[in-house]
Amino acid sequence: MSYQQEDNSGKILLAVLAGASAGIIAGLLMAPDKGAATRGNLKNAATKYSGQLGEQLSKYGEELDSKFKGYVEKLEDMGITGAGSSLKLKGDWNESKGKLRQQYAQLTDEDLQYAEGQEEDLIGRLQQKLGKGKREITKMLNDL
């Protein structure tokens, strides 16, 4: 049996938010300032903490994205999802475009435009032009 560390970052974030909320409520009930001053203080605090919260959520989102991609690759390597569930372009794209144009004369330069990070756009254009499924297109591109 293997030991896996549990990711408690979501629980920690929830506890921080609950604590901040309790502090705000207590502050409102015991506020020494008048209403306008208290609202101004609350607005400043909310602005400060919303920025920090946004940064944390962005960080966790990036971590989840990289973990998910790693899991997909592991599943492919194990043969569970099969080849073609994620795109891995290798080599010179211009050379690969030439091979695709030889196989599929109907493809244009516009259809074969590729920029790193825009794999989904390329796959979508090829799906429409060739009438094939995403998995089939991904496998075809990986095999080039």
Side-chain angles (χ1 to χ4, degrees):
M1 182 181 284
S2 66
Y3 173 75
Q4 293 183 354
Q5 184 176 355
E6 187 176 327
D7 186 14
N8 291 325
S9 56
K11 293 176 183 176
I12 292 170
L13 183 61
L14 184 61
V16 168
L17 289 174
S21 299
I24 289 171
I25 291 171
L28 283 173
L29 294 174
M30 296 184 280
D33 295 330
K34 293 191 177 206
T38 302
R39 285 190 299 274
N41 291 338
L42 287 174
K43 180 180 177 185
N44 292 337
T47 301
K48 175 184 169 188
Y49 291 123
S50 69
Q52 291 175 351
L53 180 61
E55 290 172 10
Q56 286 295 319
L57 288 176
S58 176
K59 177 182 154 190
Y60 291 133
E62 290 171 7
E63 288 178 15
L64 284 174
D65 186 46
S66 66
K67 284 182 182 180
F68 179 75
K69 287 180 181 177
Y71 292 141
V72 168
E73 288 177 8
K74 284 180 184 178
L75 290 172
E76 283 181 6
D77 292 342
M78 292 169 57
I80 294 174
T81 59
S85 58
S86 69
L87 183 61
K88 299 175 191 170
L89 294 176
K90 297 175 186 162
D92 182 25
W93 177 239
N94 289 326
E95 189 177 309
S96 298
K97 281 185 356 184
K99 290 178 183 177
L100 284 170
R101 289 185 121 180
Q102 286 176 351
Q103 288 179 335
Y104 304 100
Q106 71 266 35
L107 294 176
T108 65
D109 281 335
E110 189 176 299
D111 296 329
L112 296 171
Q113 280 184 340
Y114 169 69
E116 193 165 332
Q118 308 238 327
E119 292 87 0
E120 293 298 319
D121 294 338
L122 172 65
I123 292 171
R125 287 192 305 270
L126 292 176
Q127 278 182 278
Q128 287 179 341
K129 198 74 168 203
L130 301 176
K132 296 183 178 193
K134 180 178 180 179
R135 182 177 290 259
E136 195 174 355
I137 295 290
T138 304
K139 183 170 179 5
M140 177 185 68
L141 291 173
N142 286 339
D143 290 344
L144 287 175

